[in-house]
Amino acid sequence: MLAVLSPAVSEGVRRRLREGLENGEGLARTTVYFSHYLFEAAGRLGSEPLFFDRLGHWYRLKEKGFSTVPERPEPSRSDCHAWGSHPYYHFFTAVLGIRPSAPGFA
Protein backbone atom coordinates (compact mmCIF):
# COMPACT_ATOMS: atom_id res chain seq x y z
CA MET A 1 0.00 0.00 0.00
CA LEU A 2 2.76 2.41 0.85
CA ALA A 3 4.50 1.69 -2.45
CA VAL A 4 1.27 2.58 -4.28
CA LEU A 5 1.27 5.93 -2.51
CA SER A 6 4.87 6.64 -3.51
CA PRO A 7 5.40 8.87 -6.56
CA ALA A 8 8.59 6.87 -7.30
CA VAL A 9 6.64 3.76 -8.38
CA SER A 10 6.03 3.33 -12.13
CA GLU A 11 2.58 2.74 -13.58
CA GLY A 12 3.52 -0.83 -14.51
CA VAL A 13 4.54 -1.64 -10.95
CA ARG A 14 1.41 0.10 -9.67
CA ARG A 15 -0.75 -2.18 -11.86
CA ARG A 16 0.99 -5.27 -10.50
CA LEU A 17 0.54 -4.01 -6.95
CA ARG A 18 -3.16 -3.48 -7.59
CA GLU A 19 -3.49 -7.03 -8.88
CA GLY A 20 -1.67 -8.36 -5.84
CA LEU A 21 -3.72 -6.34 -3.36
CA GLU A 22 -7.01 -7.31 -4.99
CA ASN A 23 -6.28 -11.01 -5.60
CA GLY A 24 -3.37 -11.98 -3.37
CA GLU A 25 -3.98 -14.80 -0.93
CA GLY A 26 -2.64 -14.89 2.59
CA LEU A 27 -2.17 -11.13 2.89
CA ALA A 28 -2.31 -9.73 6.41
CA ARG A 29 -5.42 -7.65 7.13
CA THR A 30 -4.89 -4.01 7.98
CA THR A 31 -5.76 -2.77 11.44
CA VAL A 32 -8.50 -0.18 11.84
CA TYR A 33 -5.85 2.53 11.94
CA PHE A 34 -3.75 1.29 9.01
CA SER A 35 -6.84 0.80 6.84
CA HIS A 36 -6.52 4.53 6.17
CA TYR A 37 -3.53 3.76 3.94
CA LEU A 38 -5.35 0.87 2.28
CA PHE A 39 -8.27 3.17 1.45
CA GLU A 40 -5.89 5.85 0.19
CA ALA A 41 -4.15 3.29 -2.04
CA ALA A 42 -7.51 1.94 -3.25
CA GLY A 43 -8.54 5.47 -4.24
CA ARG A 44 -5.31 6.06 -6.16
CA LEU A 45 -5.66 2.70 -7.90
CA GLY A 46 -9.35 3.20 -8.64
CA SER A 47 -10.00 -0.13 -6.88
CA GLU A 48 -13.54 -0.38 -5.58
CA PRO A 49 -13.05 -4.01 -4.45
CA LEU A 50 -10.20 -3.04 -2.10
CA PHE A 51 -12.22 -0.22 -0.61
CA PHE A 52 -15.57 -1.92 -0.17
CA ASP A 53 -14.17 -5.28 0.94
CA ARG A 54 -12.30 -3.72 3.86
CA LEU A 55 -15.21 -1.39 4.64
CA GLY A 56 -17.13 -4.53 5.57
CA HIS A 57 -15.42 -4.37 8.96
CA TRP A 58 -17.25 -1.12 9.72
CA TYR A 59 -20.56 -2.45 8.39
CA ARG A 60 -20.41 -5.43 10.75
CA LEU A 61 -19.68 -3.45 13.93
CA LYS A 62 -23.33 -2.98 14.90
CA GLU A 63 -24.11 -6.69 14.66
CA LYS A 64 -21.14 -7.31 16.96
CA GLY A 65 -22.63 -4.98 19.56
CA PHE A 66 -20.41 -1.95 18.98
CA SER A 67 -21.83 1.57 18.90
CA THR A 68 -18.41 3.12 18.18
CA VAL A 69 -15.32 1.95 16.31
CA PRO A 70 -13.00 -0.26 18.37
CA GLU A 71 -9.27 0.24 18.46
CA ARG A 72 -8.67 -2.99 16.58
CA PRO A 73 -10.56 -6.10 15.48
CA GLU A 74 -11.49 -8.48 18.28
CA PRO A 75 -10.15 -9.03 20.81
CA SER A 76 -10.18 -5.31 21.48
CA ARG A 77 -9.24 -3.58 24.69
CA SER A 78 -10.88 -0.28 23.80
CA ASP A 79 -14.16 0.47 22.09
CA CYS A 80 -13.83 4.06 20.93
CA HIS A 81 -11.11 5.49 18.73
CA ALA A 82 -11.33 8.53 16.50
CA TRP A 83 -8.91 7.07 13.95
CA GLY A 84 -11.59 4.51 13.10
CA SER A 85 -13.77 7.24 11.61
CA HIS A 86 -11.51 7.77 8.58
CA PRO A 87 -13.91 5.95 6.20
CA TYR A 88 -15.94 9.20 6.23
CA TYR A 89 -12.92 11.03 4.82
CA HIS A 90 -12.46 8.37 2.15
CA PHE A 91 -16.10 8.50 1.07
CA PHE A 92 -15.58 12.15 0.19
CA THR A 93 -12.14 11.76 -1.37
CA ALA A 94 -12.22 8.36 -3.08
CA VAL A 95 -15.91 7.77 -3.75
CA LEU A 96 -17.08 11.33 -4.42
CA GLY A 97 -13.71 12.64 -5.65
CA ILE A 98 -13.71 15.75 -3.46
CA ARG A 99 -10.25 16.91 -2.43
CA PRO A 100 -9.06 20.41 -1.63
CA SER A 101 -6.60 21.90 -4.11
CA ALA A 102 -5.18 24.19 -1.41
CA PRO A 103 -5.40 24.49 2.38
CA GLY A 104 -8.82 25.61 3.50
CA PHE A 105 -10.24 24.80 0.02
CA ALA A 106 -8.77 28.11 -1.20
XYZ file of all heavy atoms in Angstrom:
849
model
N 0.812 -1.189 0.000
C 0.000 0.000 0.000
C 0.856 1.253 0.000
O 0.560 2.185 -0.727
C -0.921 -0.001 1.207
C -1.983 -1.054 1.155
S -2.858 -1.202 2.686
C -1.597 -1.786 3.758
N 1.907 1.220 0.790
C 2.756 2.405 0.853
C 3.498 2.620 -0.458
O 3.720 3.756 -0.862
C 3.716 2.306 2.036
C 3.033 2.287 3.411
C 4.072 2.142 4.514
C 2.179 3.514 3.632
N 3.854 1.549 -1.143
C 4.498 1.690 -2.451
C 3.541 2.342 -3.445
O 3.951 3.179 -4.247
C 4.958 0.330 -2.968
N 2.277 1.983 -3.391
C 1.273 2.580 -4.284
C 1.207 4.083 -4.059
O 1.041 4.852 -5.001
C -0.122 1.950 -4.042
C -1.218 2.740 -4.748
C -0.137 0.500 -4.482
N 1.363 4.512 -2.834
C 1.273 5.932 -2.506
C 2.534 6.707 -2.846
O 2.531 7.927 -2.839
C 0.940 6.098 -1.017
C -0.369 5.459 -0.580
C -0.547 5.584 0.927
C -1.547 6.050 -1.316
N 3.609 5.998 -3.193
C 4.872 6.640 -3.515
C 4.872 7.140 -4.961
O 4.537 6.397 -5.878
C 6.017 5.649 -3.335
O 7.204 6.172 -3.881
N 5.312 8.368 -5.186
C 5.403 8.867 -6.561
C 6.551 8.217 -7.339
O 6.638 8.353 -8.551
C 5.637 10.369 -6.388
C 6.228 10.515 -5.036
C 5.672 9.392 -4.204
N 7.430 7.487 -6.653
C 8.587 6.872 -7.304
C 8.238 5.563 -8.000
O 9.056 5.020 -8.726
C 9.684 6.626 -6.268
N 7.028 5.045 -7.820
C 6.638 3.756 -8.383
C 6.039 3.969 -9.778
O 5.166 4.813 -9.971
C 5.628 3.041 -7.449
C 5.099 1.775 -8.067
C 6.282 2.741 -6.122
N 6.514 3.189 -10.749
C 6.034 3.328 -12.126
C 4.601 2.802 -12.264
O 4.117 2.042 -11.420
C 6.940 2.563 -13.081
O 6.751 1.168 -12.907
N 3.958 3.184 -13.328
C 2.584 2.742 -13.580
C 2.506 1.227 -13.730
O 1.558 0.594 -13.284
C 2.013 3.436 -14.821
C 0.522 3.283 -14.969
C -0.258 3.753 -13.744
O 0.097 4.792 -13.160
O -1.241 3.065 -13.369
N 3.507 0.614 -14.362
C 3.525 -0.834 -14.514
C 3.587 -1.546 -13.169
O 2.868 -2.520 -12.932
N 4.435 -1.057 -12.290
C 4.538 -1.641 -10.951
C 3.238 -1.406 -10.195
O 2.739 -2.284 -9.499
C 5.751 -1.054 -10.188
C 5.731 -1.463 -8.728
C 7.041 -1.468 -10.856
N 2.678 -0.227 -10.343
C 1.414 0.101 -9.671
C 0.302 -0.861 -10.107
O -0.495 -1.316 -9.294
C 1.043 1.553 -9.959
C -0.029 2.081 -9.048
C -0.208 3.580 -9.178
N 0.697 4.233 -8.232
C 1.692 5.030 -8.560
N 1.930 5.332 -9.805
N 2.470 5.565 -7.640
N 0.257 -1.220 -11.379
C -0.749 -2.176 -11.863
C -0.546 -3.549 -11.235
O -1.496 -4.215 -10.844
C -0.699 -2.288 -13.396
C -1.423 -1.163 -14.107
C -1.600 -1.474 -15.598
N -0.338 -1.675 -16.303
C 0.377 -0.701 -16.855
N -0.052 0.534 -16.815
N 1.509 -0.971 -17.478
N 0.703 -3.973 -11.125
C 0.986 -5.273 -10.498
C 0.646 -5.259 -9.009
O 0.146 -6.240 -8.470
C 2.446 -5.663 -10.727
C 2.733 -6.006 -12.194
C 4.043 -6.743 -12.410
N 5.225 -6.121 -11.840
C 5.963 -5.169 -12.434
N 5.638 -4.728 -13.631
N 7.038 -4.678 -11.851
N 0.902 -4.130 -8.364
C 0.542 -4.007 -6.953
C -0.973 -4.076 -6.767
O -1.461 -4.713 -5.836
C 1.088 -2.698 -6.380
C 2.598 -2.632 -6.196
C 3.032 -1.211 -5.882
C 3.043 -3.592 -5.105
N -1.700 -3.426 -7.673
C -3.165 -3.483 -7.592
C -3.646 -4.929 -7.712
O -4.473 -5.384 -6.926
C -3.803 -2.626 -8.680
C -5.311 -2.739 -8.697
C -5.943 -1.985 -9.833
N -7.364 -2.245 -9.844
C -8.244 -1.465 -10.412
N -7.872 -0.364 -11.028
N -9.517 -1.770 -10.377
N -3.114 -5.635 -8.686
C -3.491 -7.033 -8.885
C -3.198 -7.852 -7.628
O -4.027 -8.652 -7.187
C -2.735 -7.610 -10.087
C -2.981 -9.069 -10.351
C -4.391 -9.377 -10.826
O -5.035 -8.502 -11.430
O -4.841 -10.512 -10.589
N -2.032 -7.633 -7.046
C -1.669 -8.359 -5.837
C -2.556 -8.026 -4.654
O -2.977 -8.911 -3.910
N -2.861 -6.746 -4.478
C -3.719 -6.344 -3.361
C -5.148 -6.848 -3.529
O -5.800 -7.210 -2.556
C -3.713 -4.818 -3.210
C -2.452 -4.220 -2.622
C -2.466 -2.704 -2.748
C -2.281 -4.632 -1.168
N -5.636 -6.868 -4.758
C -7.014 -7.314 -4.993
C -7.153 -8.838 -4.956
O -8.174 -9.351 -4.509
C -7.525 -6.804 -6.341
C -7.806 -5.337 -6.356
C -8.326 -4.845 -7.700
O -8.295 -5.607 -8.698
O -8.752 -3.680 -7.746
N -6.134 -9.559 -5.425
C -6.281 -11.006 -5.600
C -5.296 -11.855 -4.812
O -5.372 -13.085 -4.869
C -6.147 -11.357 -7.089
C -7.187 -10.638 -7.906
O -8.363 -10.634 -7.572
N -6.756 -9.984 -8.977
N -4.371 -11.225 -4.113
C -3.374 -11.984 -3.367
C -3.999 -12.771 -2.228
O -4.932 -12.311 -1.574
N -3.484 -13.966 -2.019
C -3.981 -14.802 -0.932
C -2.988 -14.777 0.221
O -1.785 -14.684 0.011
C -4.188 -16.231 -1.426
C -5.293 -16.325 -2.459
C -5.564 -17.757 -2.888
O -5.226 -18.679 -2.130
O -6.102 -17.927 -3.982
N -3.500 -14.843 1.421
C -2.643 -14.889 2.590
C -2.098 -13.538 3.022
O -1.170 -13.485 3.834
N -2.636 -12.451 2.482
C -2.170 -11.129 2.888
C -2.689 -10.803 4.285
O -3.832 -11.130 4.621
C -2.668 -10.059 1.916
C -2.171 -10.163 0.476
C -2.833 -9.098 -0.389
C -0.660 -10.022 0.428
N -1.878 -10.154 5.084
C -2.311 -9.727 6.410
C -3.371 -8.633 6.265
O -3.287 -7.788 5.368
C -1.122 -9.196 7.202
N -4.381 -8.673 7.132
C -5.416 -7.646 7.127
C -4.897 -6.401 7.825
O -4.140 -6.489 8.791
C -6.667 -8.143 7.869
C -7.354 -9.323 7.236
C -8.019 -8.962 5.954
N -9.110 -8.042 6.193
C -10.152 -7.912 5.431
N -10.270 -8.634 4.354
N -11.091 -7.053 5.702
N -5.289 -5.256 7.336
C -4.891 -4.013 7.981
C -5.666 -3.830 9.279
O -6.795 -4.293 9.412
C -5.171 -2.805 7.062
O -6.548 -2.805 6.694
C -4.295 -2.834 5.836
N -5.050 -3.144 10.221
C -5.755 -2.774 11.438
C -6.723 -1.645 11.097
O -6.700 -1.098 9.988
C -4.773 -2.278 12.513
O -4.103 -1.123 12.012
C -3.771 -3.360 12.890
N -7.568 -1.288 12.052
C -8.503 -0.179 11.845
C -7.725 1.073 11.461
O -8.039 1.752 10.483
C -9.350 0.057 13.116
C -10.165 1.331 13.014
C -10.259 -1.141 13.370
N -6.678 1.361 12.203
C -5.854 2.535 11.944
C -5.198 2.475 10.570
O -5.287 3.414 9.777
C -4.787 2.654 13.046
C -3.572 3.448 12.652
C -3.623 4.838 12.589
C -2.389 2.809 12.333
C -2.508 5.572 12.219
C -1.272 3.536 11.971
C -1.334 4.912 11.914
O -0.237 5.633 11.543
N -4.523 1.368 10.244
C -3.749 1.286 9.012
C -4.629 1.143 7.775
O -4.170 1.331 6.652
C -2.726 0.149 9.082
C -1.503 0.428 8.267
C -0.513 1.267 8.744
C -1.352 -0.138 7.014
C 0.611 1.549 7.974
C -0.222 0.140 6.247
C 0.752 0.982 6.731
N -5.910 0.854 7.966
C -6.840 0.800 6.841
C -6.920 2.142 6.120
O -7.271 2.200 4.946
C -8.232 0.372 7.303
O -8.221 -0.973 7.712
N -6.569 3.214 6.817
C -6.525 4.532 6.166
C -5.627 4.473 4.926
O -5.984 4.959 3.862
C -6.013 5.594 7.136
C -5.647 6.875 6.476
N -6.581 7.775 6.020
C -4.434 7.393 6.142
C -5.963 8.804 5.463
N -4.669 8.596 5.522
N -4.470 3.843 5.059
C -3.531 3.759 3.938
C -4.038 2.807 2.857
O -3.812 3.045 1.671
C -2.148 3.352 4.431
C -1.603 4.356 5.404
C -1.641 4.120 6.777
C -1.113 5.585 4.958
C -1.175 5.072 7.672
C -0.660 6.537 5.848
C -0.687 6.278 7.202
O -0.250 7.217 8.094
N -4.728 1.759 3.257
C -5.347 0.874 2.276
C -6.393 1.628 1.471
O -6.441 1.539 0.243
C -5.984 -0.338 2.956
C -6.776 -1.264 2.037
C -5.864 -1.905 0.995
C -7.501 -2.319 2.837
N -7.239 2.398 2.149
C -8.274 3.174 1.454
C -7.657 4.231 0.546
O -8.139 4.478 -0.556
C -9.226 3.833 2.446
C -10.100 2.871 3.189
C -10.595 3.186 4.432
C -10.455 1.642 2.650
C -11.421 2.318 5.125
C -11.273 0.762 3.333
C -11.763 1.108 4.571
N -6.587 4.851 1.007
C -5.892 5.852 0.190
C -5.303 5.187 -1.052
O -5.407 5.720 -2.162
C -4.811 6.480 1.052
C -4.353 7.861 0.820
C -5.318 8.953 0.522
O -6.438 9.011 1.041
O -4.913 9.807 -0.290
N -4.700 4.025 -0.894
C -4.153 3.287 -2.043
C -5.264 2.841 -2.977
O -5.134 2.942 -4.196
C -3.346 2.080 -1.561
N -6.367 2.362 -2.427
C -7.507 1.937 -3.251
C -8.022 3.104 -4.090
O -8.348 2.935 -5.269
C -8.621 1.373 -2.367
N -8.098 4.286 -3.493
C -8.539 5.471 -4.236
C -7.593 5.816 -5.368
O -8.016 6.105 -6.485
N -6.292 5.751 -5.118
C -5.308 6.058 -6.163
C -5.319 5.017 -7.274
O -5.060 5.344 -8.431
C -3.914 6.152 -5.572
C -3.776 7.323 -4.648
C -2.550 8.120 -4.897
N -2.452 9.145 -3.870
C -1.351 9.492 -3.269
N -0.224 8.906 -3.605
N -1.346 10.430 -2.359
N -5.619 3.776 -6.908
C -5.655 2.703 -7.902
C -7.006 2.604 -8.597
O -7.146 1.871 -9.567
C -5.343 1.356 -7.233
C -3.945 1.185 -6.664
C -3.866 -0.095 -5.842
C -2.913 1.187 -7.776
N -8.004 3.322 -8.089
C -9.353 3.197 -8.637
C -9.937 1.815 -8.357
O -10.689 1.282 -9.165
N -9.592 1.234 -7.216
C -9.997 -0.130 -6.878
C -11.168 -0.144 -5.905
O -10.984 -0.056 -4.695
C -8.823 -0.907 -6.287
O -9.251 -2.185 -5.884
N -12.358 -0.262 -6.441
C -13.544 -0.377 -5.585
C -13.513 -1.646 -4.740
O -13.897 -1.606 -3.568
C -14.812 -0.319 -6.420
C -15.047 1.029 -7.039
C -16.287 1.057 -7.907
O -17.114 0.129 -7.829
O -16.427 2.022 -8.672
N -13.068 -2.807 -5.284
C -13.045 -4.014 -4.449
C -12.205 -3.860 -3.179
O -12.622 -4.290 -2.107
C -12.447 -5.085 -5.368
C -12.758 -4.619 -6.745
C -12.689 -3.113 -6.675
N -11.032 -3.239 -3.286
C -10.197 -3.044 -2.102
C -10.919 -2.206 -1.058
O -10.912 -2.518 0.123
C -8.896 -2.321 -2.474
C -7.752 -3.135 -3.015
C -6.594 -2.223 -3.393
C -7.302 -4.170 -2.018
N -11.543 -1.149 -1.508
C -12.221 -0.215 -0.606
C -13.422 -0.877 0.062
O -13.526 -0.925 1.287
C -12.645 1.033 -1.379
C -13.313 2.079 -0.525
C -12.557 2.884 0.311
C -14.674 2.253 -0.562
C -13.161 3.855 1.100
C -15.286 3.217 0.218
C -14.531 4.024 1.049
N -14.318 -1.408 -0.728
C -15.570 -1.920 -0.171
C -15.406 -3.233 0.579
O -16.136 -3.502 1.529
C -16.645 -2.007 -1.248
C -17.152 -0.653 -1.633
C -16.789 -0.079 -2.844
C -17.961 0.066 -0.779
C -17.234 1.181 -3.190
C -18.410 1.332 -1.110
C -18.047 1.890 -2.325
N -14.416 -4.045 0.196
C -14.170 -5.277 0.941
C -13.737 -4.955 2.368
O -14.271 -5.510 3.326
C -13.102 -6.130 0.243
C -12.757 -7.365 1.047
O -13.674 -8.171 1.315
O -11.583 -7.524 1.427
N -12.786 -4.060 2.517
C -12.302 -3.719 3.862
C -13.340 -2.935 4.645
O -13.413 -3.039 5.869
C -10.993 -2.925 3.765
C -10.387 -2.614 5.110
C -10.047 -3.888 5.870
N -9.467 -3.587 7.147
C -9.839 -4.160 8.282
N -10.772 -5.074 8.292
N -9.264 -3.826 9.412
N -14.168 -2.169 3.967
C -15.208 -1.392 4.643
C -16.210 -2.311 5.339
O -16.899 -1.895 6.269
C -15.917 -0.493 3.627
C -16.706 0.668 4.177
C -15.823 1.579 5.019
C -17.329 1.450 3.047
N -16.254 -3.565 4.922
C -17.134 -4.531 5.566
C -16.922 -4.602 7.066
O -17.860 -4.848 7.829
N -15.698 -4.382 7.518
C -15.417 -4.372 8.962
C -16.314 -3.356 9.665
O -16.890 -3.642 10.708
C -13.941 -4.055 9.216
C -13.626 -3.777 10.648
N -13.566 -4.773 11.594
C -13.395 -2.615 11.309
C -13.294 -4.234 12.776
N -13.173 -2.928 12.616
N -16.436 -2.166 9.118
C -17.252 -1.117 9.725
C -18.738 -1.474 9.648
O -19.477 -1.209 10.584
C -16.980 0.234 9.057
C -15.732 0.885 9.562
C -15.651 1.857 10.517
C -14.390 0.626 9.163
N -14.344 2.207 10.736
C -13.541 1.466 9.912
C -13.810 -0.236 8.248
C -12.162 1.482 9.772
C -12.443 -0.228 8.106
C -11.633 0.618 8.860
N -19.155 -2.068 8.538
C -20.562 -2.446 8.393
C -20.982 -3.501 9.412
O -22.139 -3.546 9.820
C -20.839 -2.977 6.983
C -20.874 -1.908 5.921
C -20.162 -2.074 4.738
C -21.608 -0.747 6.075
C -20.190 -1.115 3.744
C -21.637 0.226 5.097
C -20.932 0.032 3.935
O -20.961 0.985 2.959
N -20.076 -4.344 9.826
C -20.409 -5.429 10.755
C -20.298 -5.044 12.228
O -20.621 -5.845 13.101
C -19.522 -6.641 10.466
C -19.831 -7.313 9.138
C -19.031 -8.591 8.942
N -17.597 -8.372 8.856
C -16.950 -8.042 7.730
N -17.607 -7.900 6.596
N -15.639 -7.865 7.736
N -19.874 -3.840 12.535
C -19.683 -3.452 13.934
C -20.980 -3.500 14.735
O -20.994 -3.979 15.872
C -19.059 -2.054 14.024
C -17.595 -1.960 13.608
C -17.127 -0.513 13.628
C -16.723 -2.821 14.506
N -22.061 -3.020 14.165
C -23.326 -2.979 14.901
C -23.795 -4.381 15.280
O -24.221 -4.613 16.409
C -24.394 -2.258 14.088
C -25.653 -2.004 14.866
C -26.629 -1.156 14.098
C -27.856 -0.903 14.936
N -28.830 -0.074 14.235
N -23.681 -5.326 14.357
C -24.112 -6.694 14.663
C -23.226 -7.346 15.716
O -23.634 -8.312 16.358
C -24.175 -7.552 13.406
C -22.848 -7.883 12.789
C -22.948 -8.559 11.429
O -23.785 -8.152 10.613
O -22.169 -9.497 11.199
N -22.027 -6.796 15.914
C -21.143 -7.312 16.961
C -21.358 -6.597 18.291
O -20.653 -6.856 19.261
C -19.677 -7.163 16.531
C -19.297 -8.061 15.369
C -17.854 -7.873 15.008
C -17.479 -8.818 13.876
N -16.059 -8.724 13.543
N -22.308 -5.668 18.327
C -22.633 -4.976 19.563
C -21.882 -3.680 19.797
O -21.993 -3.090 20.865
N -21.138 -3.208 18.815
C -20.406 -1.951 18.977
C -21.283 -0.768 18.579
O -22.044 -0.837 17.616
C -19.148 -1.930 18.091
C -18.063 -2.840 18.554
C -17.883 -4.090 17.978
C -17.203 -2.439 19.568
C -16.875 -4.929 18.391
C -16.183 -3.275 19.993
C -16.018 -4.525 19.406
N -21.159 0.327 19.309
C -21.827 1.567 18.904
C -20.798 2.610 18.475
O -21.153 3.683 18.000
C -22.695 2.121 20.036
O -21.906 2.365 21.186
N -19.513 2.293 18.660
C -18.410 3.125 18.180
C -17.376 2.197 17.555
O -17.508 0.977 17.628
C -17.752 3.916 19.331
O -17.223 2.997 20.285
C -18.748 4.855 19.998
N -16.349 2.769 16.971
C -15.318 1.953 16.307
C -14.268 1.520 17.326
O -13.686 2.353 18.017
C -14.654 2.746 15.175
C -13.605 1.904 14.474
C -15.698 3.220 14.179
N -14.024 0.203 17.421
C -13.002 -0.261 18.365
C -11.603 0.064 17.867
O -11.398 0.355 16.696
C -13.225 -1.770 18.404
C -13.829 -2.088 17.089
C -14.653 -0.902 16.709
N -10.666 -0.037 18.787
C -9.273 0.243 18.455
C -8.746 -0.719 17.402
O -7.990 -0.338 16.528
C -8.434 0.130 19.717
C -6.966 0.368 19.502
C -6.162 0.254 20.780
O -6.679 -0.258 21.776
O -5.007 0.684 20.759
N -9.148 -1.961 17.487
C -8.669 -2.987 16.579
C -9.720 -4.085 16.502
O -10.606 -4.141 17.346
C -7.334 -3.558 17.043
C -7.345 -3.958 18.512
C -6.068 -4.497 19.013
N -6.108 -5.932 18.811
C -5.047 -6.699 18.751
N -3.867 -6.177 18.867
N -5.152 -7.987 18.579
N -9.616 -4.975 15.523
C -10.555 -6.103 15.483
C -10.443 -6.929 16.768
O -9.432 -6.873 17.473
C -10.101 -6.909 14.265
C -9.361 -5.928 13.423
C -8.711 -4.971 14.391
N -11.476 -7.671 17.059
C -11.491 -8.478 18.280
C -10.266 -9.359 18.380
O -9.800 -9.839 17.357
C -12.756 -9.353 18.309
C -14.022 -8.543 18.431
C -14.232 -7.924 19.814
O -13.286 -7.837 20.619
O -15.334 -7.518 20.087
N -9.719 -9.602 19.539
C -10.151 -9.028 20.811
C -9.638 -7.593 20.949
O -8.483 -7.299 20.648
C -9.496 -9.933 21.847
C -8.273 -10.471 21.170
C -8.610 -10.537 19.693
N -10.514 -6.722 21.368
C -10.176 -5.308 21.475
C -10.197 -4.892 22.938
O -11.070 -5.315 23.686
C -11.177 -4.478 20.671
O -10.869 -3.118 20.788
N -9.273 -4.046 23.308
C -9.244 -3.582 24.692
C -9.951 -2.246 24.854
O -10.182 -1.786 25.942
C -7.804 -3.462 25.189
C -7.017 -2.402 24.454
C -5.635 -2.203 25.079
N -4.878 -1.252 24.331
C -4.987 0.066 24.473
N -5.803 0.579 25.340
N -4.270 0.880 23.726
N -10.291 -1.603 23.752
C -10.876 -0.276 23.803
C -11.906 -0.144 22.690
O -11.666 -0.545 21.560
C -9.766 0.759 23.635
O -10.300 2.050 23.646
N -13.038 0.419 23.028
C -14.156 0.466 22.088
C -14.442 1.831 21.478
O -15.531 2.043 20.964
C -15.430 -0.035 22.778
C -15.380 -1.512 23.082
O -14.401 -2.166 22.677
O -16.310 -2.002 23.721
N -13.533 2.754 21.535
C -13.828 4.057 20.933
C -12.542 4.764 20.529
O -11.796 5.236 21.384
C -14.615 4.921 21.910
S -15.133 6.482 21.189
N -12.305 4.827 19.228
C -11.108 5.495 18.732
C -11.440 6.347 17.528
O -12.036 5.873 16.563
C -10.017 4.473 18.387
C -9.301 4.011 19.609
N -8.252 4.707 20.153
C -9.515 2.963 20.413
C -7.836 4.091 21.245
N -8.602 3.036 21.416
N -11.036 7.591 17.581
C -11.334 8.528 16.500
C -10.722 8.104 15.181
O -11.290 8.348 14.119
C -10.855 9.930 16.877
N -9.546 7.438 15.220
C -8.911 7.069 13.951
C -9.771 6.106 13.156
O -9.606 5.969 11.962
C -7.509 6.543 14.141
C -7.339 5.251 14.902
C -7.975 4.055 14.649
C -6.484 5.003 15.987
N -7.562 3.093 15.523
C -6.638 3.648 16.365
C -5.579 5.791 16.685
C -5.923 3.073 17.404
C -4.864 5.207 17.716
C -5.044 3.873 18.058
N -10.712 5.440 13.802
C -11.592 4.513 13.097
C -12.679 5.196 12.288
O -13.441 4.545 11.583
N -12.751 6.523 12.370
C -13.773 7.243 11.611
C -13.288 7.674 10.227
O -14.026 8.295 9.476
C -14.247 8.470 12.396
O -13.190 9.395 12.552
N -12.068 7.328 9.858
C -11.508 7.772 8.583
C -12.284 7.312 7.346
O -12.149 7.934 6.295
C -10.020 7.423 8.466
C -9.711 5.976 8.495
N -9.863 5.153 7.413
C -9.253 5.187 9.500
C -9.513 3.926 7.738
N -9.144 3.918 8.999
N -13.131 6.258 7.392
C -13.913 5.953 6.196
C -14.773 7.131 5.724
O -15.029 7.275 4.529
C -14.778 4.761 6.608
C -13.923 4.041 7.595
C -13.279 5.176 8.376
N -15.188 8.005 6.647
C -15.940 9.200 6.227
C -15.093 10.056 5.292
O -15.560 10.534 4.265
C -16.370 10.037 7.439
C -17.446 9.393 8.254
C -17.209 8.998 9.562
C -18.713 9.167 7.724
C -18.195 8.405 10.315
C -19.702 8.567 8.475
C -19.440 8.196 9.771
O -20.421 7.603 10.522
N -13.848 10.263 5.658
C -12.923 11.026 4.825
C -12.797 10.384 3.442
O -12.851 11.058 2.412
C -11.554 11.094 5.519
C -10.430 11.567 4.628
C -10.233 12.914 4.387
C -9.565 10.654 4.016
C -9.198 13.349 3.570
C -8.531 11.080 3.206
C -8.360 12.418 2.983
O -7.341 12.853 2.176
N -12.671 9.070 3.418
C -12.461 8.373 2.150
C -13.721 8.337 1.283
O -13.619 8.271 0.067
C -11.905 6.974 2.398
C -10.533 7.032 2.972
N -9.427 7.382 2.234
C -10.082 6.845 4.238
C -8.365 7.386 3.006
N -8.741 7.066 4.229
N -14.887 8.391 1.887
C -16.095 8.496 1.074
C -16.065 9.786 0.264
O -16.398 9.812 -0.917
C -17.364 8.469 1.931
C -17.925 7.091 2.116
C -18.024 6.541 3.377
C -18.360 6.340 1.031
C -18.543 5.273 3.552
C -18.866 5.079 1.194
C -18.959 4.535 2.464
N -15.648 10.868 0.907
C -15.583 12.150 0.190
C -14.457 12.175 -0.834
O -14.635 12.648 -1.949
C -15.419 13.311 1.176
C -16.671 13.642 1.913
C -16.858 13.229 3.210
C -17.684 14.349 1.288
C -18.023 13.511 3.889
C -18.868 14.646 1.948
C -19.037 14.230 3.259
N -13.282 11.656 -0.462
C -12.135 11.763 -1.367
C -12.118 10.701 -2.454
O -11.911 11.012 -3.624
C -10.815 11.706 -0.579
O -10.741 10.473 0.125
C -10.705 12.872 0.385
N -12.337 9.442 -2.102
C -12.224 8.356 -3.079
C -13.526 8.098 -3.820
O -13.528 7.918 -5.029
C -11.753 7.069 -2.395
N -14.629 8.093 -3.101
C -15.911 7.770 -3.746
C -16.483 8.985 -4.474
O -16.868 8.904 -5.635
C -16.925 7.215 -2.714
C -18.271 6.967 -3.358
C -16.392 5.936 -2.083
N -16.518 10.130 -3.798
C -17.077 11.330 -4.419
C -16.048 12.144 -5.191
O -16.414 12.980 -6.006
C -17.729 12.217 -3.349
C -18.889 11.578 -2.584
C -19.389 12.527 -1.500
C -20.016 11.190 -3.518
N -14.766 11.924 -4.927
C -13.714 12.636 -5.654
C -13.503 14.068 -5.204
O -13.005 14.897 -5.966
N -13.855 14.383 -3.973
C -13.714 15.749 -3.456
C -12.431 15.849 -2.649
O -12.276 15.207 -1.623
C -14.913 16.140 -2.570
C -16.202 16.049 -3.369
C -14.704 17.536 -1.982
C -17.448 16.177 -2.523
N -11.502 16.643 -3.134
C -10.248 16.909 -2.426
C -9.937 18.395 -2.559
O -10.126 18.973 -3.630
C -9.090 16.116 -3.026
C -9.114 14.652 -2.697
C -7.820 14.003 -3.166
N -7.830 12.592 -2.899
C -7.189 12.043 -1.872
N -6.479 12.764 -1.054
N -7.237 10.742 -1.696
N -9.428 19.002 -1.507
C -9.059 20.411 -1.629
C -7.829 20.569 -2.525
O -6.960 19.710 -2.544
C -8.743 20.824 -0.194
C -8.387 19.558 0.494
C -9.170 18.470 -0.180
N -7.784 21.637 -3.272
C -6.604 21.897 -4.106
C -5.609 22.775 -3.358
O -4.467 22.917 -3.786
C -7.008 22.558 -5.417
O -7.643 23.799 -5.164
N -6.052 23.352 -2.248
C -5.185 24.187 -1.409
C -5.726 24.147 0.018
O -6.907 23.834 0.218
C -5.169 25.624 -1.940
N -4.903 24.469 1.008
C -5.397 24.489 2.382
C -6.641 25.367 2.529
O -6.743 26.434 1.917
C -4.219 25.081 3.168
C -3.014 24.691 2.356
C -3.484 24.791 0.926
N -7.594 24.863 3.298
C -8.820 25.614 3.501
C -9.715 25.684 2.277
O -10.583 26.549 2.166
N -9.493 24.804 1.287
C -10.235 24.798 0.023
C -10.084 26.108 -0.752
O -10.946 26.475 -1.556
C -11.723 24.475 0.258
C -11.985 23.032 0.521
C -11.954 22.528 1.816
C -12.248 22.158 -0.515
C -12.191 21.187 2.070
C -12.484 20.808 -0.272
C -12.448 20.324 1.022
N -8.998 26.827 -0.503
C -8.771 28.111 -1.195
C -8.535 27.871 -2.683
O -8.017 26.856 -3.087
C -7.582 28.828 -0.598
